[in-house]
Amino acid sequence: MTDKSTTAPRPVSKTRGAQYNPPNRFADTLRTDFSDGWELGELSVFTAESRESGADEFGVIQDPATETFVDHSKTIVSSNSSPDIPFTRSINPYKGCEHGCVYCFARPTHEYLDLSLGKDFESKIFYKPDAEALLQKFLAKPGYQCETIALGTNTDPYQPLEKEKQITRQILETLLRHRHPVSIVTKGSLILRDTDLLAEFARQGLVSVMVSVTTLDTQLKRIMEPRTASPSTRLKVISGLRDAGVPVGVMVAPVIPFVNDNELESIVDQSVAHGAQSLGYVMLRLPYQLKDLFSDWLEVHFPLRKERVLNTLRDMRGGSLYQAEFGKRMRGEGVYAELIRQRFEVVGRKNHQRLTGMPSPRTDLFQVPDRAEQFSLGF
């Protein structure tokens, strides 16, 4: 799947999406590792590059182990007023994401933690142990108006750390106890662990799930999002949720020009065949320094396509690699963006008999936490 190049080989990360740690854009002082070769004697240029990058003698980068940290946030629910997304409230149980998707638009948020959006984002993960209590407190606010709360809007709620911490499950248990609607976006197979809860949510009309499927090519998946579930497993997640009566759709996100765009129709066809009831897609977004990180990834894995990919993105983004304006950031503009829109529309019409759509989760069943329960939590 990767391009072949005639240039000298470069050390490559095998277990992380990012190839390096870009400096934090908020840092007062920037530092860059540099070697003039003095201490290397007559060693080759490749060996020097390997040493600087932390690669072993075979040119394979020794990636950092995953570290976890407690997040002491005092609130758990975030609000937004964006017209581009179908929710106003969301919860992210984790900051950072071990899935390692190189394209992840959430990477720049790690810079607010004085970390890098590169390998730090996927190896230094923050979790919120007080999430359940904070959510209980939020739902009990006087005059609270029930609206669907979205999970997985920034980082995946079913990334590997969830297996140990079970924070997402605790959040779901709290929402279900109070009959509160929830929507979920994930590419993690761990969501099937919570089928018992999700099936009960579905029975009461309180849930919708979108499974992100970016490619059906296992090799491409390994270099683009190395620690996520395989394509075949994600299709099984769709069918497993549908069999349990949970409303489920597919999200093709992001669509990357000349990397995975050729798979658009096959992803939709396979997802619908496995039970997806609705479709969605998002064009690649590259805010802040993510542009440099993604460009470097192209240089490593698709050097012959790099400029074509970047130039197509610029054509969609008014000459830049990214536009932040509402109405443009999700889909882009221009000839290529219109072509993707038309292809998506055509494949949707082809599968229209199976696409029943996603019901809007109910809000009329919400039960406010009582005061006795609040006092038991120490509030």
Side-chain angles (χ1 to χ4, degrees):
M1 188 65 200
T2 56
D3 292 343
K4 294 182 179 180
S5 174
T6 57
T7 60
R10 169 183 162 181
V12 175
S13 171
K14 297 294 186 181
T15 63
R16 299 291 184 186
Q19 297 297 308
Y20 71 114
N21 256 340
N24 188 308
R25 72 184 188 275
F26 300 119
D28 293 329
T29 303
L30 302 181
R31 294 180 301 209
T32 302
D33 291 335
F34 173 77
S35 171
D36 60 6
W38 178 262
E39 78 283 6
L40 300 176
E42 299 298 322
L43 294 180
S44 67
V45 173
F46 175 74
T47 304
E49 290 177 349
S50 300
R51 178 165 178 163
E52 291 172 24
S53 65
D56 63 18
E57 60 183 308
F58 302 105
V60 177
I61 294 177
Q62 302 302 296
D63 284 317
T66 300
E67 300 177 81
T68 61
F69 307 88
V70 173
D71 183 300
H72 295 288
S73 296
K74 300 301 183 183
T75 59
I76 190 66
V77 179
S78 300
S79 299
N80 77 86
S81 57
S82 170
D84 290 332
I85 49 182
F87 59 85
T88 59
R89 294 171 181 162
S90 60
I91 294 176
N92 289 289
Y94 304 97
K95 293 179 180 177
C97 186
E98 197 176 355
H99 278 162
C101 305
V102 69
Y103 53 74
C104 182
F105 68 86
R107 283 181 178 271
T109 61
H110 237 46
E111 295 185 299
Y112 294 111
L113 304 174
D114 292 329
L115 297 170
S116 172
L117 58 74
K119 290 187 178 182
D120 282 353
F121 177 79
E122 49 193 288
S123 63
K124 299 181 186 300
I125 313 300
F126 293 74
Y127 64 95
K128 303 176 180 180
D130 299 326
E132 183 178 10
L134 291 171
L135 176 58
Q136 190 86 357
K137 182 178 180 181
F138 179 83
L139 298 179
K141 286 182 177 180
Y144 174 73
Q145 297 295 314
C146 180
E147 295 180 21
T148 299
I149 290 178
L151 297 178
T153 59
N154 205 44
T155 57
D156 202 310
Y158 286 104
Q159 59 179 286
L161 187 58
E162 168 62 17
K163 185 174 183 180
E164 172 190 347
K165 301 301 181 183
Q166 299 194 38
I167 296 172
T168 297
R169 184 172 178 89
Q170 293 169 20
I171 290 170
L172 290 178
E173 288 172 339
T174 300
L175 293 174
L176 182 58
R177 186 162 61 248
H178 300 294
R179 299 186 179 182
H180 194 290
V182 64
S183 65
I184 302 171
V185 178
T186 185
K187 58 185 62 173
S189 60
L190 189 57
I191 190 174
L192 292 179
R193 177 203 64 188
D194 294 337
T195 300
D196 59 331
L197 298 178
L198 297 174
E200 182 58 26
F201 270 108
R203 191 185 68 80
Q204 299 184 44
L206 296 172
V207 69
S208 66
V209 177
M210 296 294 285
V211 177
S212 174
V213 182
T214 49
T215 181
L216 299 177
D217 184 320
T218 302
Q219 183 179 353
L220 177 58
K221 196 283 306 183
R222 285 173 181 163
I223 62 175
M224 189 166 66
E225 36 190 44
R227 299 195 180 199
T228 58
S230 69
S232 60
T233 298
R234 277 182 245 184
L235 294 176
K236 291 177 182 177
V237 167
I238 293 174
S239 59
L241 292 174
R242 186 64 186 275
D243 290 345
V246 179
V248 58
V250 62
M251 180 66 70
V252 187
V255 176
I256 306 175
F258 309 109
V259 175
N260 70 342
D261 58 347
N262 63 307
E263 296 187 71
L264 178 61
E265 288 81 5
S266 56
I267 290 173
V268 170
D269 287 343
Q270 285 294 311
S271 298
V272 173
H274 282 76
Q277 298 167 251
S278 69
L279 309 176
Y281 79 95
V282 177
M283 201 64 66
L284 177 66
R285 299 168 55 193
L286 297 174
Y288 302 109
Q289 287 179 289
L290 185 55
K291 304 177 190 65
D292 298 329
L293 195 76
F294 182 74
S295 178
D296 179 76
W297 179 83
L298 289 173
E299 181 65 34
V300 171
H301 295 291
F302 299 100
L304 303 183
R305 294 184 231 179
K306 176 182 175 180
E307 291 307 316
R308 189 181 186 191
V309 173
L310 297 179
N311 286 335
T312 302
L313 291 173
R314 293 187 183 99
D315 288 342
M316 287 192 296
R317 304 293 187 183
S320 301
L321 286 178
Y322 184 58
Q323 285 176 304
E325 293 93 332
F326 293 146
K328 298 179 181 179
R329 58 181 185 156
M330 298 295 189
R331 298 293 174 86
E333 299 177 298
V335 175
Y336 178 85
E338 176 61 18
L339 175 62
I340 294 297
R341 186 195 68 77
Q342 291 181 11
R343 287 173 57 191
F344 193 77
E345 186 177 288
V346 169
V347 74
R349 287 200 302 266
K350 173 186 172 184
N351 289 282
H352 77 279
Q353 291 184 331
R354 294 184 178 182
L355 294 171
T356 58
M358 301 279 273
S360 297
R362 297 178 62 177
T363 60
D364 60 314
L365 301 179
F366 175 61
Q367 297 178 345
V368 181
D370 58 38
R371 290 181 60 81
E373 191 171 14
Q374 284 298 295
F375 284 127
S376 70
L377 291 170
F379 291 112

